[in-house]
PDB file of all heavy atoms in Angstrom:
ATOM      1  N   GLN A 280     -31.392   7.859 -14.127  1.00  0.00           N
ATOM      2  CA  GLN A 280     -32.307   8.838 -14.713  1.00  0.00           C
ATOM      3  C   GLN A 280     -33.568   8.175 -15.256  1.00  0.00           C
ATOM      4  O   GLN A 280     -34.681   8.685 -15.074  1.00  0.00           O
ATOM      5  CB  GLN A 280     -31.613   9.611 -15.830  1.00  0.00           C
ATOM      6  CG  GLN A 280     -30.562  10.582 -15.355  1.00  0.00           C
ATOM      7  CD  GLN A 280     -30.142  11.532 -16.467  1.00  0.00           C
ATOM      8  OE1 GLN A 280     -30.879  12.443 -16.836  1.00  0.00           O
ATOM      9  NE2 GLN A 280     -28.952  11.308 -16.996  1.00  0.00           N
ATOM     10  N   PHE A 281     -33.410   7.042 -15.937  1.00  0.00           N
ATOM     11  CA  PHE A 281     -34.590   6.362 -16.468  1.00  0.00           C
ATOM     12  C   PHE A 281     -35.469   5.820 -15.345  1.00  0.00           C
ATOM     13  O   PHE A 281     -36.703   5.821 -15.448  1.00  0.00           O
ATOM     14  CB  PHE A 281     -34.174   5.247 -17.424  1.00  0.00           C
ATOM     15  CG  PHE A 281     -33.784   5.747 -18.790  1.00  0.00           C
ATOM     16  CD1 PHE A 281     -32.453   5.860 -19.159  1.00  0.00           C
ATOM     17  CD2 PHE A 281     -34.748   6.150 -19.704  1.00  0.00           C
ATOM     18  CE1 PHE A 281     -32.086   6.342 -20.411  1.00  0.00           C
ATOM     19  CE2 PHE A 281     -34.407   6.640 -20.967  1.00  0.00           C
ATOM     20  CZ  PHE A 281     -33.067   6.735 -21.315  1.00  0.00           C
ATOM     21  N   ALA A 282     -34.837   5.381 -14.271  1.00  0.00           N
ATOM     22  CA  ALA A 282     -35.613   4.941 -13.110  1.00  0.00           C
ATOM     23  C   ALA A 282     -36.396   6.110 -12.513  1.00  0.00           C
ATOM     24  O   ALA A 282     -37.578   5.976 -12.167  1.00  0.00           O
ATOM     25  CB  ALA A 282     -34.676   4.337 -12.063  1.00  0.00           C
ATOM     26  N   ALA A 283     -35.746   7.253 -12.388  1.00  0.00           N
ATOM     27  CA  ALA A 283     -36.409   8.436 -11.829  1.00  0.00           C
ATOM     28  C   ALA A 283     -37.567   8.888 -12.717  1.00  0.00           C
ATOM     29  O   ALA A 283     -38.628   9.289 -12.220  1.00  0.00           O
ATOM     30  CB  ALA A 283     -35.399   9.563 -11.668  1.00  0.00           C
ATOM     31  N   GLN A 284     -37.370   8.820 -14.025  1.00  0.00           N
ATOM     32  CA  GLN A 284     -38.437   9.214 -14.954  1.00  0.00           C
ATOM     33  C   GLN A 284     -39.657   8.320 -14.772  1.00  0.00           C
ATOM     34  O   GLN A 284     -40.797   8.803 -14.737  1.00  0.00           O
ATOM     35  CB  GLN A 284     -37.920   9.111 -16.389  1.00  0.00           C
ATOM     36  CG  GLN A 284     -38.935   9.530 -17.443  1.00  0.00           C
ATOM     37  CD  GLN A 284     -38.340   9.503 -18.849  1.00  0.00           C
ATOM     38  OE1 GLN A 284     -37.188   9.886 -19.049  1.00  0.00           O
ATOM     39  NE2 GLN A 284     -39.115   9.047 -19.820  1.00  0.00           N
ATOM     40  N   GLU A 285     -39.426   7.023 -14.603  1.00  0.00           N
ATOM     41  CA  GLU A 285     -40.530   6.099 -14.361  1.00  0.00           C
ATOM     42  C   GLU A 285     -41.223   6.406 -13.040  1.00  0.00           C
ATOM     43  O   GLU A 285     -42.458   6.418 -12.951  1.00  0.00           O
ATOM     44  CB  GLU A 285     -39.998   4.661 -14.351  1.00  0.00           C
ATOM     45  CG  GLU A 285     -40.993   3.600 -13.912  1.00  0.00           C
ATOM     46  CD  GLU A 285     -42.170   3.407 -14.860  1.00  0.00           C
ATOM     47  OE1 GLU A 285     -42.083   3.848 -16.035  1.00  0.00           O
ATOM     48  OE2 GLU A 285     -43.185   2.834 -14.418  1.00  0.00           O
ATOM     49  N   ALA A 286     -40.442   6.690 -12.010  1.00  0.00           N
ATOM     50  CA  ALA A 286     -41.013   6.974 -10.692  1.00  0.00           C
ATOM     51  C   ALA A 286     -41.908   8.199 -10.717  1.00  0.00           C
ATOM     52  O   ALA A 286     -42.953   8.230 -10.058  1.00  0.00           O
ATOM     53  CB  ALA A 286     -39.888   7.165  -9.672  1.00  0.00           C
ATOM     54  N   LEU A 287     -41.506   9.216 -11.476  1.00  0.00           N
ATOM     55  CA  LEU A 287     -42.242  10.482 -11.477  1.00  0.00           C
ATOM     56  C   LEU A 287     -43.380  10.528 -12.491  1.00  0.00           C
ATOM     57  O   LEU A 287     -44.164  11.481 -12.503  1.00  0.00           O
ATOM     58  CB  LEU A 287     -41.276  11.639 -11.731  1.00  0.00           C
ATOM     59  CG  LEU A 287     -40.234  11.871 -10.619  1.00  0.00           C
ATOM     60  CD1 LEU A 287     -39.299  13.007 -10.991  1.00  0.00           C
ATOM     61  CD2 LEU A 287     -40.912  12.158  -9.284  1.00  0.00           C
ATOM     62  N   THR A 288     -43.468   9.505 -13.339  1.00  0.00           N
ATOM     63  CA  THR A 288     -44.573   9.459 -14.292  1.00  0.00           C
ATOM     64  C   THR A 288     -45.604   8.392 -13.905  1.00  0.00           C
ATOM     65  O   THR A 288     -46.804   8.666 -13.819  1.00  0.00           O
ATOM     66  CB  THR A 288     -44.064   9.197 -15.726  1.00  0.00           C
ATOM     67  OG1 THR A 288     -43.175   8.065 -15.733  1.00  0.00           O
ATOM     68  CG2 THR A 288     -43.312  10.407 -16.260  1.00  0.00           C
TER      69      THR A 288
END
Side-chain angles (χ1 to χ4, degrees):
Q280 289 193 74
F281 281 102
Q284 181 176 320
E285 171 66 17
L287 294 178
T288 50

